[in-house]
Amino acid sequence: MSTDPARFEGHAVPFPSEVLSNLRTYILNAFKDNNRRTIAANNKRWLLCLGDPCAELLEYIGFVREQDDWLVPCPDTSASPPDSNPVNVLLEDVEKELLALLLQRPDDEKRASKVQYGLTSASQLLAKALGADKYDQNPSSRTNTSHEEEHPFYPSLGAKLDFHDDLIRFSYQRQLLSDPEGTPYYLEALQGIADGRKSEDLQTSVAIEASSGKVSAQDIRKAYNALGLDLGSEYLDDDHIIGTFQSRAADSPRQEPELRRALQIIGQHRSSQRIQFVASKTVTNLEQALSWLGATDDMDDNFVVAMYKVKEEENPAEEATARHAVSLIAQHRNSGALKQWLETGVLGEVDMDVGQAYNRLQIDDTSIDDSIVLATFQLHYQEAPSQVDDLRSALKAIAKDRNSSVLNNFLHSSMTTSKYPLAEWPVGLRNIGNTCYLNSLLQFYFTIKPFRELVLDFDKHKRNVNADNLTKNTIGSRNVSKQEVQRAQKFVCKLQKLFHSMITSPTTFVEPELELARLTLLSQPVEADLRRSSTTGGKRPSLGEINGRPVLGPLALPISDLVDNNIDTNKNVSESGMDGIGGDGDGDRSSEPTLLGNDLAEEAADQEMPDLIPEQSQQQEQKQQVLEDRANLTSSEAAAERPTTPEHSLNPLEESSPTRNNRQRPLADGDRELPDLNGPGTAEDVGIEPPSRPPPCPPRPQPEENNDKIIRQEIQMGAQQDVTEVISNVLYQLECAIEATSFDTSGEQIDQIKDIFFGKSKSYTQNLRGDFETKEQFFSYLFVDVASGPKNIYEALDGAFDVQQVQVDGTHQPQYSTISQLPPVLNILVQRAQYDQKQRSAFKSLNHLELEETIYMDRYVDSDDKDLIQRRKESWEWKQQLRQLEARREDLMQTDLKIDVPDLLHTTTWYLEQLSKEDEIGVTAALEEAIKQAAVEAEEELDSIKTHIEDLTTSIRSQFLDRQTLPYRLQSAFIHRGSAASGHYWIYIRDFKRNLWREYNDETVSAVIQRSQIFDEDKNPRPATPYFLVYVRDDLKDEFVDPVCRDVLEQAETQNAVMDDVVEDKAGSCEAPVQGGQGTTAVSGSWFEADYVKPQPW
């Protein structure tokens, strides 16, 4: 300052604490910045505090002089451990010495200099030295007091007080893995930490652990205390514990549920099956029933059923107890709704509490006028038509509370009849349990007139099951078995029955049969797998003991004795290579092939066993089905599959029944003569000694499980099938059930289903010689993908046909696809289910798909037109350029700081300018100018990319606008709202004759007033999105689409006719009464006698 007072005018002589603090700051900053920083020679702060007079000290520490400037030390921040680098050790020691010197300075000096510095606790330094300083911390840990850290729960889990909840959970799981026997204590520790932190996440984890059957040490102590038992007693045994429970439960009946729960926990703690069995006994009175379900007497029937479902989901083994509890409540309340639910599984109408009613309709002001109540009701009804019963109950409760004639008149008029004429409006389908997608699919098929006529006039087209050429033709490139045909014909009969009800019902909706739902949702192979698992999963019946050894019931006859071992296991598998073209071309349209045996297999399947006479025809069908299942097994599978004997009771044999000495039938050629086990010398020859006592009694028959319940369980499993599997199963069964109209050169069956829904695609794949190899196959739907972002329908369809790279003999070669034959009804499946590789979970893509009422398929058809081929190639090149531009734009728009590159560069320039003003670091003007120029260039590049993308997009979209000779009209749109795992389906269907869209939402069918609800993007957080689209050839739309087909019977007629008018005989034929109506021809012998006319292909 004395040598150049003008330069340092206004600057005071720094305090010693300022000098120490500045040097410490330089060292700390060196650890934060990997790049070696430069201190300009003209930096005033540097010259005043340190500078040349301190050169020797600075060089010792690690500062380096570079001409007149100084370079700060450069520690190795990547060194592991940090103290392995001597420079790091020196700088850390110096920084701590400087901090110690700062702490020794006088307080008045520290206040005058305004030096800021912080103290680092020894525990933090120790954690850093151990590499345990970087982990997710609990945000509220700073407010915790020091004594909480000493709580044993944290060290018990190997955790620290400031651990994030996720780390606490991780520590808990690690302790369970290393010490499973300590689970109760570790769960108590987790519960204590969750309660202490008031953490909802940890409390949820505790609840999940408890629901899986784990109990904490605290729960165990409480359980023993509840029964007055000493947990540490050496003399406790199961008898003493059970006796104590029974005496206390007898003294205090109201406390029995709590005592039983305590006993259950003790049983789990002691791993005592006996105690747990006693604890799981059923409830016996109303109070126990309510307590067991977690309900109270003032809760309505809906809540009781909801609590039942919760109990059943938590522990399926307690289903019987839960049903008994509901039964006790129903008897006490004399509740018809609960009694109906117990009998049918469907809850009857429940009288809702008026307070609940207002809450259900979201009405806060209970004094509002009746007209506003009605308007609110109708608004909720329009948003969720499937909830009409619940909404109606709410309106009924309000009407009753107000004694309102307006509301009562509305309930007794508008809600009991349809606002549309029954004879001119389609009926809805009742949801019978997670079947909203099934209902949408059935409604769609009903509106396709050729399909509906085929089903209603099924007997005219039914396949001859006993035809000699059953195995000569193929469907989906594989043969069809006899049992598949029989099952398929049963499915068509059930579908015919439903269609007849939809035509004649005098009500606004009908209910599909459970069996139809099962046959629709479950393919034959999946059903066979379920049956095999249920057959082989059971235990063999015990016949008692002989000499202390158990005697088990007999195994079924070996499959090799029933079916010839020579079974053809060959099948053709399609090698599509066309990701966007699906369906059932040359591939198998079920989830696994059904193998065929020879004639002996079918003979065995039909063979009766005269000795075994079941009491019911259903048991005979079960035997028949078991034999039919075996006909599809190979010999190796048969050896592994030895199902147990069916546990049903048999009538006693008549006196004339054959014994071991009497043959059941004469021996045929090739039959083996069995040895006469009762003949002389037989026992001695085979070494069998006569039994010392009579044989044990056979097992008593077990009651059969409720058939409806089994079907509902199978329906629930079928509802989890992929959408494509369900559609393919329907079409495949229709093809199996009907006769072929012709065959192609490969033997593939051609029939009316293929004429309606199937087209042909042709793939072109370039080989190593440069030539294109072609392959043609059937398809029943096209795949489109919206995972990458919003698209219009053409952009989505292009993905199924555009050129792509495929592997051919280890090299990548181009492949593209065309349509060689367009179907009259074109199905398009929107692939929305995606898989997150990072989260390892499925999710639904919510990207918008812009629909068109009319699309033109010219651009996708197979053609030798050179101009069309050239346009395709140009379009592919433009799309490749578009992908490259979008990738570059993504690079410029996305940075780690969540801002684009131009903004990042502008921010950097501003920051450097601020540093220059503070005279902290010398920033050259050239550097600032270069960054500014880079920011401008990045902005110009983004603008150029945007313009180029717009131009390319316009070119692509207009490339085929003059090719519009093959129009298709949108006929149906399947809509889904929800996630990849759950949600709700409904369908919009176009009535071309009336120029009307209808919404089919389970029981409700309503007119669509605003087209925007179909075609516009849904802006809700959980938008409704199209999942499946159906387009119909424009010239065939009036011939193929007929949504309204009604011939309503009078109520008196329908009491005996509506659902019982279709009778299935044993061969699978269907008989139905003659009815006429819109879209029908009322003539004797059949509903539809008009000859089928195959549509001419384009």
Side-chain angles (χ1 to χ4, degrees):
M1 294 181 65
S2 59
T3 57
D4 193 358
R7 181 180 181 184
F8 295 101
E9 184 178 359
H11 289 271
V13 176
F15 289 100
S17 57
E18 288 184 84
V19 176
L20 296 173
S21 177
N22 285 336
L23 181 57
R24 180 171 177 264
T25 301
Y26 283 121
I27 294 174
L28 291 175
N29 288 339
F31 279 100
K32 297 178 182 179
D33 191 354
N34 292 330
N35 298 320
R36 199 162 195 174
R37 301 178 61 189
T38 302
I39 303 175
N42 58 357
N43 188 308
K44 295 180 181 180
R45 183 184 303 173
W46 171 264
L47 293 175
L48 286 175
C49 293
L50 298 167
D52 291 342
C54 301
E56 184 177 358
L57 173 63
L58 294 173
E59 290 174 351
Y60 173 77
I61 295 174
F63 286 80
V64 177
R65 186 191 293 274
E66 190 177 73
Q67 296 181 357
D68 294 335
D69 297 334
W70 285 87
L71 298 178
V72 298
C74 186
D76 184 5
T77 56
S78 63
S80 181
D83 57 2
S84 62
N85 187 292
V87 176
N88 295 5
V89 175
L90 174 62
L91 291 177
E92 288 180 351
D93 288 347
V94 170
E95 186 270 327
K96 296 300 181 294
E97 291 292 340
L98 291 172
L99 179 61
L101 292 173
L102 274 171
L103 294 173
Q104 295 175 6
R105 301 304 303 167
D107 292 340
D108 56 347
E109 178 185 320
K110 287 187 282 188
R111 286 192 296 270
S113 63
K114 300 180 181 179
V115 171
Q116 301 293 329
Y117 56 86
L119 298 178
T120 304
S121 68
S123 60
Q124 292 179 350
L125 297 175
L126 182 61
K128 182 178 180 181
L130 295 175
D133 58 328
K134 296 180 181 179
Y135 55 84
D136 293 337
Q137 295 183 337
N138 180 26
S140 62
S141 60
R142 297 178 180 178
T143 62
N144 290 339
T145 57
S146 59
H147 74 274
E148 289 179 306
E149 191 168 6
E150 299 177 358
H151 197 287
F153 284 159
Y154 286 97
S156 295
L157 295 182
K160 294 181 61 179
L161 178 67
D162 59 352
F163 268 17
H164 191 274
D165 286 352
D166 291 339
L167 283 177
I168 295 291
R169 274 193 294 267
F170 173 79
S171 302
Y172 166 75
Q173 295 294 342
R174 296 302 300 177
Q175 292 291 65
L176 294 192
L177 289 174
S178 60
D179 182 20
E181 294 182 358
T183 297
Y185 177 68
Y186 299 133
L187 181 57
E188 180 182 12
L190 181 65
Q191 186 174 7
I193 294 174
D195 294 342
R197 291 187 172 189
K198 298 180 180 179
S199 168
E200 292 184 1
D201 287 344
L202 291 182
Q203 288 170 348
T204 301
S205 298
V206 172
I208 293 174
E209 292 294 279
S211 66
S212 67
K214 296 185 178 70
V215 292
S216 69
Q218 182 181 14
D219 294 332
I220 294 172
R221 291 193 298 271
K222 289 181 178 179
Y224 278 89
N225 290 336
L227 294 179
L229 299 172
D230 182 7
L231 175 60
S233 174
E234 300 178 359
Y235 305 104
L236 275 182
D237 58 17
D238 289 357
D239 289 334
H240 180 67
I241 293 173
I242 293 172
T244 302
F245 159 76
Q246 291 173 340
S247 62
R248 285 182 173 258
D251 293 340
S252 304
R254 293 186 179 182
Q255 297 181 4
E256 182 179 346
E258 291 81 1
L259 295 173
R260 195 175 295 278
R261 173 59 183 160
L263 185 66
Q264 181 74 30
I265 293 174
I266 294 174
Q268 289 180 245
H269 174 240
R270 298 174 64 91
S271 299
S272 170
Q273 296 294 330
R274 183 185 174 197
I275 292 178
Q276 293 185 56
F277 175 78
V278 173
S280 62
K281 288 295 183 181
T282 186
V283 293
T284 57
N285 56 49
L286 175 65
E287 290 182 352
Q288 294 172 2
L290 291 171
S291 177
W292 193 87
L293 288 175
T296 58
D297 200 19
D298 59 346
M299 292 178 178
D300 63 19
D301 292 347
N302 276 311
F303 189 85
V304 171
V305 173
M307 294 307 298
Y308 164 86
K309 294 179 179 178
V310 170
K311 286 288 187 181
E312 185 184 31
E313 290 175 0
E314 288 179 351
N315 188 359
E318 294 181 340
E319 179 190 0
T321 304
R323 290 187 66 85
H324 182 60
V326 175
S327 177
L328 289 173
I329 297 172
Q331 292 174 12
H332 173 75
R333 296 181 176 184
N334 194 22
S335 169
L338 287 179
K339 291 178 180 178
Q340 179 180 335
W341 178 83
L342 288 167
E343 294 175 358
T344 66
V346 178
L347 187 65
E349 186 172 350
V350 180
D351 290 335
M352 189 179 293
D353 178 78
V354 66
Q356 294 175 325
Y358 281 112
N359 289 334
R360 178 64 184 86
L361 296 179
Q362 299 179 4
I363 296 176
D364 296 326
D365 184 3
T366 58
S367 63
I368 61 175
D369 189 71
D370 289 348
S371 60
I372 300 179
V373 173
L374 273 180
T376 305
F377 166 83
Q378 291 171 335
L379 178 63
H380 285 291
Y381 172 69
Q382 291 172 1
E383 292 179 349
S386 62
Q387 300 177 12
V388 61
D389 291 339
D390 193 33
L391 295 171
R392 186 174 183 272
S393 297
L395 189 64
K396 182 179 178 181
I398 296 174
K400 181 179 179 181
D401 180 68
R402 294 185 173 200
N403 194 22
S404 167
S405 59
V406 174
L407 299 182
N408 282 319
N409 289 338
F410 177 82
L411 286 166
H412 288 90
S413 59
S414 300
M415 291 306 298
T416 56
T417 61
S418 172
K419 66 179 181 180
Y420 305 104
L422 284 175
E424 301 175 8
W425 201 255
V427 298
L429 295 177
R430 188 179 185 87
N431 191 321
I432 56 177
N434 292 332
T435 57
C436 51
Y437 173 74
L438 171 68
N439 289 345
S440 299
L441 190 65
L442 294 174
Q443 290 282 19
F444 157 64
Y445 283 130
F446 182 82
T447 63
I448 303 300
K449 187 176 179 180
F451 183 95
R452 184 177 68 226
E453 292 180 352
L454 173 65
V455 172
L456 293 174
D457 202 17
F458 171 56
D459 282 347
K460 182 179 177 180
H461 308 282
K462 185 179 62 179
R463 183 190 296 272
N464 184 359
V465 179
N466 297 319
D468 295 334
N469 62 350
L470 183 63
T471 60
K472 293 181 181 180
N473 65 292
T474 59
I475 300 176
S477 297
R478 70 179 181 87
N479 297 117
V480 181
S481 68
K482 177 180 176 180
Q483 50 265 38
E484 281 183 303
V485 173
Q486 292 173 332
R487 183 186 193 273
Q489 291 181 347
K490 180 180 180 182
F491 161 72
V492 179
C493 287
K494 294 294 184 183
L495 187 60
Q496 183 190 86
K497 187 175 179 180
L498 175 69
F499 280 5
H500 174 235
S501 180
M502 293 171 70
I503 294 171
T504 62
S505 174
T507 60
T508 57
F509 65 88
V510 297
E511 181 172 330
E513 290 188 27
L514 290 173
E515 181 66 7
L516 173 61
R518 185 182 70 86
L519 293 171
T520 306
L521 296 172
L522 285 177
S523 64
Q524 193 272 345
V526 174
E527 181 186 15
D529 284 344
L530 292 176
R531 192 181 301 113
R532 289 191 191 109
S533 63
S534 64
T535 304
T536 59
K539 297 181 179 180
R540 293 171 60 186
S542 173
L543 302 180
E545 295 182 352
I546 294 180
N547 297 329
R549 296 185 178 181
V551 179
L552 301 180
L555 287 168
L557 290 176
I559 306 301
S560 57
D561 288 347
L562 293 174
V563 185
D564 187 84
N565 290 336
N566 185 17
I567 296 178
D568 181 16
T569 59
N570 295 325
K571 65 179 186 294
N572 295 327
V573 180
S574 65
E575 300 173 356
S576 171
M578 293 172 289
D579 296 336
I581 301 178
D584 318 313
D586 296 330
D588 186 355
R589 269 187 279 132
S590 56
S591 57
E592 70 178 41
T594 300
L595 306 178
L596 299 177
N598 56 13
D599 294 337
L600 180 59
E602 295 183 1
E603 180 183 348
D606 295 331
Q607 185 67 41
E608 294 183 358
M609 297 185 179
D611 276 1
L612 304 179
I613 307 173
E615 292 181 346
Q616 299 178 358
S617 61
Q618 182 181 359
Q619 297 170 347
Q620 187 175 8
E621 291 179 3
Q622 292 174 349
K623 283 172 46 185
Q624 177 77 7
Q625 189 63 56
V626 170
L627 293 173
E628 289 174 355
D629 287 343
R630 295 175 191 159
N632 289 334
L633 291 176
T634 64
S635 57
S636 59
E637 289 172 329
E641 297 272 351
R642 294 188 181 267
T644 60
T645 303
E647 295 185 2
H648 53 65
S649 59
L650 304 177
N651 284 337
L653 300 178
E654 298 180 4
E655 294 181 1
S656 59
S657 297
T659 63
R660 289 180 176 177
N661 294 325
N662 298 321
R663 292 289 178 184
Q664 295 184 15
R665 60 175 175 84
L667 284 175
D669 292 339
D671 282 354
R672 292 185 292 110
E673 178 73 15
L674 295 176
D676 186 357
L677 298 182
N678 293 332
T682 302
E684 297 175 356
D685 293 340
V686 297
I688 300 177
E689 297 181 359
S692 59
R693 58 186 176 86
C697 295
R700 294 185 178 182
Q702 299 296 323
E704 293 186 2
E705 196 169 2
N706 182 272
N707 190 49
D708 278 357
K709 180 179 178 182
I710 295 174
I711 295 178
R712 287 184 183 276
Q713 291 173 347
E714 292 182 345
I715 289 174
Q716 293 302 315
M717 299 187 68
Q720 300 173 14
Q721 299 296 310
D722 187 79
V723 171
T724 60
E725 293 177 348
V726 178
I727 296 173
S728 298
N729 182 43
V730 171
L731 298 183
Y732 180 75
Q733 290 191 97
L734 260 295
E735 288 196 88
C736 288
I738 62 176
E739 289 285 4
T741 57
S742 63
F743 302 94
D744 66 8
T745 56
S746 67
E748 179 71 16
Q749 172 175 310
I750 307 299
D751 49 51
Q752 296 184 31
I753 295 299
K754 277 195 170 67
D755 293 340
I756 299 171
F757 297 106
F758 283 73
K760 283 187 176 181
S761 63
K762 183 181 289 187
S763 64
Y764 291 80
T765 307
Q766 188 171 356
N767 56 31
L768 298 180
R769 299 186 304 274
D771 302 325
F772 278 92
E773 298 178 355
T774 63
K775 179 181 179 181
E776 191 176 46
Q777 64 179 13
F778 285 103
F779 71 89
S780 61
Y781 51 82
L782 301 176
F783 269 116
V784 299
D785 192 358
V786 292
S788 59
K791 297 178 181 178
N792 64 35
I793 186 64
Y794 286 113
E795 292 169 340
L797 281 170
D798 287 350
F801 300 97
D802 284 350
V803 68
Q804 57 182 323
Q805 296 295 315
V806 298
Q807 280 207 349
V808 178
D809 296 332
T811 63
H812 287 83
Q813 299 294 335
Q815 180 191 76
Y816 68 94
S817 304
T818 61
I819 298 178
S820 56
Q821 179 180 314
L822 282 163
V825 179
L826 178 64
N827 295 330
I828 301 174
L829 176 66
V830 184
Q831 184 65 26
R832 291 193 176 275
Q834 307 292 330
Y835 187 77
D836 189 332
Q837 295 289 348
K838 294 183 179 179
Q839 299 294 331
R840 299 198 175 189
S841 60
F843 70 95
K844 174 188 172 184
S845 171
L846 301 177
N847 292 322
H848 177 58
L849 178 63
E850 182 182 341
L851 303 180
E852 296 284 348
E853 285 204 62
T854 304
I855 61 174
Y856 299 90
M857 300 299 293
D858 303 65
R859 66 187 71 183
Y860 306 117
V861 297
D862 193 60
S863 173
D864 294 331
D865 187 337
K866 293 183 179 179
D867 178 62
L868 179 60
I869 295 173
Q870 181 59 32
R871 292 193 190 193
R872 286 174 181 162
K873 291 180 179 179
E874 290 176 353
S875 178
W876 296 340
E877 292 175 359
W878 292 339
K879 290 174 183 176
Q880 178 63 24
Q881 296 175 23
L882 189 61
R883 286 190 290 268
Q884 294 173 352
L885 289 171
E886 289 174 341
R888 176 57 181 164
R889 181 178 62 180
E890 184 76 10
D891 292 339
L892 293 174
M893 294 293 294
Q894 298 293 335
T895 64
D896 293 340
L897 298 179
K898 308 302 181 183
I899 58 177
D900 59 30
V901 171
D903 286 346
L904 180 63
L905 294 173
H906 284 307
T907 303
T908 303
T909 303
W910 174 86
Y911 181 71
L912 292 176
E913 290 175 351
Q914 297 303 311
L915 289 179
S916 298
K917 290 179 181 179
E918 294 179 3
D919 201 17
E920 181 72 24
I921 299 176
V923 179
T924 63
L927 177 59
E928 291 185 20
E929 187 61 32
I931 297 176
K932 288 180 180 179
Q933 182 62 30
V936 172
E937 292 175 355
E939 288 178 336
E940 292 176 349
E941 185 179 3
L942 273 176
D943 291 339
S944 175
I945 289 175
K946 180 182 177 182
T947 302
H948 202 174
I949 287 177
E950 291 175 352
D951 293 342
L952 283 174
T953 302
T954 302
S955 298
I956 293 170
R957 292 186 174 183
S958 61
Q959 181 74 339
F960 300 98
L961 288 180
D962 59 339
R963 297 275 182 160
Q964 297 185 353
T965 62
L966 302 176
Y968 274 72
R969 302 289 295 276
L970 182 63
Q971 186 263 343
S972 295
F974 290 70
I975 307 298
H976 178 265
R977 186 190 299 277
S979 64
S982 63
H984 179 63
Y985 281 97
W986 67 94
I987 186 174
Y988 297 110
I989 298 179
R990 177 75 180 271
D991 188 334
F992 293 104
K993 295 178 182 178
R994 297 167 179 80
N995 193 24
L996 173 70
W997 280 97
R998 295 185 183 88
E999 177 183 341
Y1000 296 71
N1001 197 334
D1002 288 336
E1003 296 90 344
T1004 305
V1005 181
S1006 57
V1008 175
I1009 307 302
Q1010 299 291 336
R1011 289 178 65 259
S1012 58
Q1013 70 184 84
I1014 304 174
F1015 294 94
D1016 290 0
E1017 182 177 3
D1018 189 345
K1019 299 295 185 180
N1020 290 323
R1022 298 182 65 198
T1025 54
Y1027 242 92
F1028 194 77
L1029 306 171
V1030 180
Y1031 282 86
V1032 179
R1033 261 174 54 177
D1034 183 66
D1035 62 325
L1036 296 175
K1037 65 181 185 298
D1038 293 331
E1039 177 185 345
F1040 270 58
V1041 180
D1042 182 28
V1044 181
C1045 180
R1046 299 281 279 138
D1047 185 15
V1048 180
L1049 296 177
E1050 295 297 329
Q1051 187 69 31
E1053 298 179 61
T1054 58
Q1055 290 178 357
N1056 299 320
V1058 171
M1059 292 307 289
D1060 297 323
D1061 47 13
V1062 177
V1063 180
E1064 302 167 38
D1065 63 20
K1066 294 182 179 179
S1069 64
C1070 307
E1071 300 175 358
V1074 179
Q1075 298 295 339
Q1078 298 185 35
T1080 68
T1081 306
V1083 295
S1084 61
S1086 175
W1087 290 347
F1088 303 97
E1089 291 292 346
D1091 290 336
Y1092 170 74
V1093 179
K1094 177 179 178 179
Q1096 296 299 316
W1098 273 336

